Amino acid sequence: MNNENETMPVMCIAYADQLKEICANMFGIPLERFYMNKSNAWVCITDKFQYTEVKPDDDNIITADDYYDSISNYSNSNIKYWMSLREILVYVGTYVLQQDINKKIFVNIVRNKIREELYHNHNLKYVIVTDHRFLHELEYIKENNGITITINRNSVTQLDNIAEHDLDDEDS
């Protein structure tokens, strides 16, 4: 039986946890929705951030890459353009936070959360990082004597962007 004051020797964390929380708060979408099928929900990126699970017209669905490359074309338009939740995560995480603020922002967050857990939990022996998509994230794991296991899900179609392909040439 677990005592409330007992601490566990294992911590699970994902680089994307903070990103999902940021996007949930920014767009007013329940956090749980970012842990479900993110390809079947959309946010209107050009007007009031409306959220829908009804697929918009294909001509009005854009990718994170498209939006980042031509933001002025979309933001100055009267047309409503939509991104899937997966694309929203790519846009905010890759283009806004990593490219425009700091490439290692999520590595820093994970490092700080682990440090905080170690401060409060003296029994911590293992940290499981449940995701990594970028070379610098993989390097952080390896620098800390971590091992990686690659899982390929054939049922999920990869997006065509750096978040999906930065590790293509790496042996995990």
Side-chain angles (χ1 to χ4, degrees):
M1 181 177 212
N2 261 351
N3 181 333
E4 273 184 37
N5 296 325
E6 285 184 37
T7 53
M8 299 298 293
V10 177
M11 172 188 185
C12 288
I13 191 168
Y15 287 111
D17 286 341
Q18 282 300 128
L19 172 61
K20 290 174 181 179
E21 190 170 319
I22 289 166
C23 288
N25 289 322
M26 188 174 1
F27 298 108
I29 299 168
L31 179 61
E32 308 82 57
R33 190 60 185 86
F34 284 94
Y35 288 92
M36 298 166 55
N37 185 338
K38 295 171 287 296
S39 297
N40 291 331
W42 296 266
V43 172
C44 182
I45 195 70
T46 57
D47 182 43
K48 299 179 187 172
F49 301 142
Q50 297 102 319
Y51 166 76
T52 185
E53 293 185 15
V54 177
K55 186 177 181 185
D57 183 43
D58 284 340
D59 291 340
N60 295 58
I61 297 175
I62 59 174
T63 67
D65 290 342
D66 291 340
Y67 191 69
Y68 187 74
D69 291 341
S70 305
I71 192 168
S72 61
N73 292 345
Y74 293 110
S75 59
N76 294 326
S77 173
N78 291 331
I79 300 170
K80 290 184 178 184
Y81 288 100
W82 302 80
M83 271 191 222
S84 71
L85 296 189
R86 283 179 75 198
E87 293 285 353
I88 287 289
L89 292 169
V90 170
Y91 179 72
V92 173
T94 303
Y95 294 115
V96 175
L97 297 174
Q98 289 190 102
Q99 284 191 6
D100 290 346
I101 295 178
N102 184 316
K103 175 181 174 179
K104 293 186 178 181
I105 193 165
F106 297 108
V107 170
N108 293 339
I109 291 169
V110 165
R111 179 187 303 115
N112 291 336
K113 292 219 176 254
I114 293 169
R115 189 177 298 140
E116 181 180 335
E117 181 67 18
L118 280 167
Y119 179 78
H120 295 289
N121 179 357
H122 301 291
N123 292 327
L124 184 65
K125 292 184 179 160
Y126 304 101
V127 175
I128 299 171
V129 179
T130 61
D131 69 340
H132 68 279
R133 293 182 180 269
F134 293 96
L135 184 56
H136 58 275
E137 294 170 347
L138 175 62
E139 288 169 351
Y140 172 73
I141 292 169
K142 288 181 176 181
E143 286 167 4
N144 288 279
N145 301 313
I147 59 169
T148 61
I149 300 169
T150 301
I151 299 170
N152 293 314
R153 295 187 308 167
N154 295 330
S155 62
V156 177
T157 304
Q158 276 192 335
L159 302 177
D160 189 21
N161 60 51
I162 192 168
E164 300 291 339
H165 297 292
D166 197 43
L167 296 172
D168 284 355
D169 297 329
E170 290 299 310
D171 292 329
S172 297

